[in-house]
Amino acid sequence: MKKATWIRTVVLVGAVGALEIACRTGAIPATMIIAPSAMVVAVVKLLQSDDIGAHIEQTLSAVAIAMSLAIVFGFVIGFILNWVPFLRRAFSPFLAAYYAIPHFAFYPLLIVIFGLGSTPLIVLATVFAMVAMILATMAGLDRVPRVLLKTARIHRLSLLDEIWRVRLPAAAPHLLSGLKLAVAYSFIGVIAGEFILSTSGIGHEIAYSYDNFDNPRMYALILFVLTIVTTFNMAVYAYERRLMRRRGA
Amino acid sequence: MSMTALRSFRDPILVAVSLVVLWQVLHHIAGDVAVTAPAPTLAHLWEMIGQARFVPHLRETGLAFLQALAIACGGGILLGVVLGGHKLTGEVAEPILVGLYSLPKITLYPVILLMFGLGMPAKVAFGALHGIIPVVLFTMNAVRNVNRTYLRTGRVLRLTPAQTAWHILIPATLPEIFSGLRIGFSLTLLGTMLGELFASQRGLGFLLMTAIDLNDVKTILAIAVLISAFAVICNAVLLAIDKHLHRGAAPEITGK
């Protein structure tokens, strides 16, 4: 395992280095991709500029709200669907096809219902991200080993205790991967909405920079978003590792 | 036909019917400005499909999707077999792939546009980028988990490599790979549609964006219904095949 980690680091560093060299020598024109070092410089410059704060705040707060709602509702709905076979049978085909549906088509409808502003985007992102959490919750609860449930029965745990002490901990790895996907999908929902339909926020700024051939600013914004998501995912991953170690896995 | 088989058809139909009812109710609350009623919308869709100028858009989206799907499936299986077959390469690549899987790839779309230019290649690339990672991950796991005893039995029976592949490897990995293809299908469609919504001049996504700009609710809903119906029906078929392939495998462990 150690060896693989080493090789992976070398591969990643090498890839970034190769990109840097290709960009600096002009093998990849700056109109296509700018050098990684230039991206980092651009991020620093971006964060120092005055006008970006409001956009970042708007997008990140929308993502944070959407993500929290998606995780809570996704978990509750997933739990209910897992508990009631009729509902599960009825909704499964729709859940499976969910991510192929063009959610942005319903954005005009959301604007009529919720008005202009960030509410329709938050609703869109919540609805978009929620199903990842629903599916992960159902998958996790499906795979609780029977022997644990039998043990719970032998110990005469109450229903709440059984759920809290047995089912949820056993389903935790799946819940955490649902969490990670919910974060990614909240970002997709908010940023894609801003790309296409909004006049502010990070997504709009990326699209605006693209339209104006302002590559440094565009790559700075992209790198900024990807760094935030990756940092969050790595934090979840670290927590997951700790959880698994405690179980002796 | 058993009762459960009957039910598994009846319940989704109930949900579909209640969705239409919900749609009708929404129409009454929000009015024609936001939601047109189901019947006129479907009539409009039917009329649109009949029009000659609609066909090129449908073909554009269809072609982009099929090419992206071919790349995602073909490339995904190929990469997955390589990564699953070679232990160290797999260990090196897996966390990178999982990391890529949970990135919001929409932020990378402008980069794709700069690399491939406006038009078909960018849509295909973006669709394939979404679909390929689950296919790789599922294929890799399928190849890794092939029971060693089967392979040893094959050696004992002196099977040629081709026979080993045909009689052992393919049957052992197919169910898992197919699950990956099913997820890859949905994500490829999502990627292709996202690609068409942004900076596109043809295709269903372009029609959708034009309709949104004109606030032509009837067309918006008609296209949304068309794509959603396509997605749900294809998925139902794939899901049925998926279950059929998995029936011989170890029974799924359930919580009940």
Side-chain angles (χ1 to χ4, degrees), chain A residues 14-231:
Chain A
V16 175
L19 183 64
E20 177 81 34
I21 292 168
C23 291
R24 293 287 171 194
T25 55
I28 298 176
T31 47
M32 193 185 282
I33 301 177
I34 64 170
S37 58
M39 288 184 205
V40 176
V41 173
V43 171
V44 175
K45 226 169 81 187
L46 177 80
L47 293 179
Q48 281 168 349
S49 65
D50 309 321
D51 60 326
I52 198 66
H55 292 293
I56 291 180
E57 196 188 316
Q58 185 195 326
T59 301
L60 290 189
S61 56
V63 169
I65 298 171
M67 176 183 107
S68 319
L69 291 176
I71 289 168
V72 172
F73 283 114
F75 173 73
V76 171
I77 294 173
F79 197 90
I80 295 172
L81 288 183
N82 188 264
W83 208 261
V84 187
F86 160 71
L87 290 177
R88 182 192 189 129
R89 264 198 320 272
F91 282 100
S92 286
F94 296 92
L95 292 177
Y98 189 75
Y99 282 107
I101 292 170
H103 295 75
F104 300 99
F106 300 104
Y107 191 71
L109 165 66
L110 293 176
I111 291 182
V112 173
I113 298 176
F114 297 102
L116 283 167
S118 52
T119 321
L121 267 185
I122 293 174
V123 174
L124 186 76
T126 308
V127 171
F128 191 56
M130 196 167 67
V131 170
M133 192 66 200
I134 295 179
L135 291 172
T137 308
M138 282 165 56
L141 292 174
D142 272 349
R143 285 168 183 72
V144 176
R146 269 185 184 188
V147 61
L148 294 184
L149 298 177
K150 277 183 195 157
T151 316
R153 255 209 318 280
I154 289 168
H155 286 279
R156 304 201 177 201
L157 293 190
S158 66
L159 185 63
L160 278 181
D161 267 344
E162 189 210 84
I163 291 168
W164 182 246
R165 289 173 196 283
V166 178
R167 282 185 200 260
L168 291 189
H174 286 273
L175 297 179
L176 288 177
S177 22
L179 192 91
K180 275 188 278 192
L181 281 182
V183 173
Y185 284 132
S186 304
F187 267 99
I188 296 178
V190 171
I191 289 182
E194 286 173 349
F195 254 179
I196 301 164
L197 304 155
S198 172
T199 52
S200 55
I202 297 180
H204 172 259
E205 286 299 295
I206 293 177
Y208 187 77
S209 314
Y210 168 79
D211 286 339
N212 289 292
F213 305 105
D214 188 354
N215 276 6
R217 189 176 164 88
M218 185 186 92
Y219 277 105
L221 288 159
I222 293 175
L223 189 62
F224 178 72
V225 173
L226 296 186
T227 309
I228 291 182
V229 179
T230 310
T231 311

Side-chain angles (χ1 to χ4, degrees), chain B residues 56-176:
Chain B
H57 292 291
L58 193 63
R59 187 184 302 135
E60 168 91 4
T61 305
L63 272 179
F65 174 63
L66 286 180
Q67 289 178 51
L69 192 65
I71 295 174
C73 294
I77 292 177
L78 206 69
L79 264 177
V81 168
V82 171
L83 295 179
H86 192 262
K87 193 158 175 280
L88 186 62
T89 323
E91 274 178 15
V92 170
E94 191 175 5
I96 300 177
L97 288 169
V98 173
L100 284 178
Y101 188 46
S102 46
L103 279 184
K105 281 172 275 294
I106 180 78
T107 43
L108 294 174
Y109 192 53
V111 181
I112 302 269
L113 282 176
L114 288 176
M115 287 165 78
F116 292 90
L118 291 173
M120 188 70 122
K123 287 187 223 174
V124 174
F126 199 55
L129 182 69
H130 275 78
I132 196 168
I133 297 176
V135 180
V136 175
L137 287 173
F138 273 79
T139 308
M140 186 170 77
N141 272 321
V143 173
R144 267 187 200 162
N145 294 335
V146 172
N147 196 331
R148 300 286 142 197
T149 320
Y150 298 164
L151 294 174
R152 250 178 273 144
T153 315
R155 266 214 304 284
V156 170
L157 296 173
R158 305 200 178 204
L159 296 186
T160 63
Q163 283 172 324
T164 313
W166 182 251
H167 291 289
I168 298 176
L169 289 177
I170 292 179
T173 53
L174 193 65
E176 198 62 19

Side-chain angles (χ1 to χ4, degrees), chain B residues 144-220:
Chain B
R144 267 187 200 162
N145 294 335
V146 172
N147 196 331
R148 300 286 142 197
T149 320
Y150 298 164
L151 294 174
R152 250 178 273 144
T153 315
R155 266 214 304 284
V156 170
L157 296 173
R158 305 200 178 204
L159 296 186
T160 63
Q163 283 172 324
T164 313
W166 182 251
H167 291 289
I168 298 176
L169 289 177
I170 292 179
T173 53
L174 193 65
E176 198 62 19
I177 292 178
F178 194 83
S179 300
L181 294 182
R182 190 170 62 79
I183 296 173
F185 175 90
S186 288
L187 289 178
T188 307
L189 190 56
L190 172 74
T192 316
M193 289 313 302
L194 280 177
E196 282 201 333
L197 289 179
F198 184 64
S200 153
Q201 298 101 357
R202 264 201 305 264
L204 292 182
F206 168 74
L207 286 183
L208 198 55
M209 282 313 287
T210 319
I212 289 177
D213 282 341
L214 298 172
N215 206 17
D216 177 359
V217 181
K218 209 187 248 182
T219 307
I220 296 173

